[in-house]
């Protein structure tokens, strides 16, 4: 029991890799000031040039088309529904998909 009572609690240095030197209080404060300065610079840049930080709008139709054209599970004869109607896939699995591979299920009759 005497041994357990004389052992010291682990210190922060016990958890730090030995290859990294301990940071002094002044170095730590300097790092914090540098980080604050960088954050202020970023905020100022965003205020001065908001167009640079705006997300690029994504066209949902383009995303849906790309998803459909890249769907490897699509097989000849499959029917897909889009906001433009229902289409049958007539392409081949050994070739890249194209817009022309999708034929309307109920093509409008020409009058």
């Amino acid at each position: 029991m005497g041994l357990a009572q004389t052992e010291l609690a682990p210190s922060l240095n016990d958890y730090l890799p030995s290859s990294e030197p301990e940071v002094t209080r002044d170095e730590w404060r300097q790092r914090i000031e540098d980080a604050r300065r960088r954050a202020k610079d970023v905020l100022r840049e965003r205020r001065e040039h908001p167009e640079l930080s705006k997300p690029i709008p994504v066209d949902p139709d383009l995303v849906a088309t790309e998803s459909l054209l890249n769907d490897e599970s699509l097989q000849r004869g499959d029917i897909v529904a889009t906001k433009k109607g229902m289409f049958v896939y007539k392409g081949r699995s050994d070739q890249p998909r194209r817009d022309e591979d999708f034929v309307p299920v109920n093509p409008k009759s020409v009058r």
Side-chain angles (χ1 to χ4, degrees):
M1 233 194 215
L3 197 66
Q5 291 175 350
T6 59
E7 287 183 15
L8 298 174
S11 72
L12 178 61
N13 290 333
D14 293 332
Y15 298 105
L16 293 174
S18 60
S19 62
E20 294 182 20
E22 190 172 325
V23 178
T24 67
R25 177 171 276 195
D26 289 337
E27 290 171 331
W28 184 252
R29 285 182 178 158
Q30 185 61 47
R31 287 183 186 181
I32 291 171
E33 282 303 312
D34 292 345
R36 285 181 179 154
R37 192 175 310 111
R38 286 191 307 271
K40 286 179 183 178
D41 290 345
V42 169
L43 289 173
R44 186 180 60 250
E45 185 72 24
R46 287 185 178 177
R47 272 193 309 270
E48 292 173 0
H49 303 285
E51 70 280 1
L52 298 177
S53 60
K54 287 184 181 178
I56 298 171
V58 178
D59 180 6
D61 292 338
L62 182 61
V63 171
T65 299
E66 288 295 319
S67 177
L68 188 61
L69 293 175
N70 293 322
D71 183 356
E72 293 182 13
S73 69
L74 200 59
Q75 297 179 18
R76 190 176 181 92
D78 284 353
I79 296 176
V80 295
T82 70
K83 72 179 196 177
K84 294 182 180 181
M86 306 275 282
F87 294 86
V88 177
Y89 176 62
K90 298 288 185 175
R92 294 177 35 187
S93 59
D94 62 341
Q95 294 181 349
R97 288 166 190 78
R98 303 166 303 160
D99 290 341
E100 299 80 31
D101 293 336
F102 298 90
V103 179
V105 172
N106 292 324
K108 296 179 181 178
S109 59
V110 179
R111 293 184 185 188

